[in-house]
């Protein structure tokens, strides 16, 4: 097995972007930290440095969404 190097400048943002896409395409049941890590080209444990579990990832997605909404309302 060949390990791919990590090339993302901000893994947290990459994981959140991929999680949003996964939710749109496959719904909540398709969301997996391990699968997000695979898509990002990092070890399956790498997302744990940013999200303890799937619940914390969902919390971060909700926060991101509320921040976007606040920005839109302010604009």
């Amino acid at each position: 097995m060949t390990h791919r190097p990590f090339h993302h400048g901000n893994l947290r943002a990459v994981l959140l972007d991929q999680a949003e896409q996964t939710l749109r395409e496959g719904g909540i049941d398709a969301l997996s930290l391990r699968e997000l890590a695979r898509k990002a080209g990092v070890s399956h444990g790498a997302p744990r440095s940013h999200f303890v579990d799937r619940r914390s990832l969902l919390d971060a997605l909700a926060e991101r969404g509320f921040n976007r909404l606040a920005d839109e309302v302010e604009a």
Side-chain angles (χ1 to χ4, degrees), residues 1-12:
M1 177 179 188
T2 303
H3 294 282
R4 292 174 284 176
F6 174 69
H7 293 290
H8 300 292
N10 187 345
L11 180 58
R12 186 177 197 279

Side-chain angles (χ1 to χ4, degrees), residues 22-24 26-32 54-55 58:
T22 298
L23 286 172
R24 280 190 204 103
I28 190 80
D29 291 334
L31 190 62
S32 157
R54 189 169 85 148
R55 173 86 263 160
L58 290 169

Side-chain angles (χ1 to χ4, degrees), residues 54-75:
R54 189 169 85 148
R55 173 86 263 160
S56 65
L57 172 66
L58 290 169
D59 290 345
L61 283 171
E63 181 179 0
R64 190 186 221 197
F66 283 120
N67 287 337
R68 282 185 192 151
L69 177 61
D71 290 345
E72 289 293 319
V73 168
E74 189 175 307

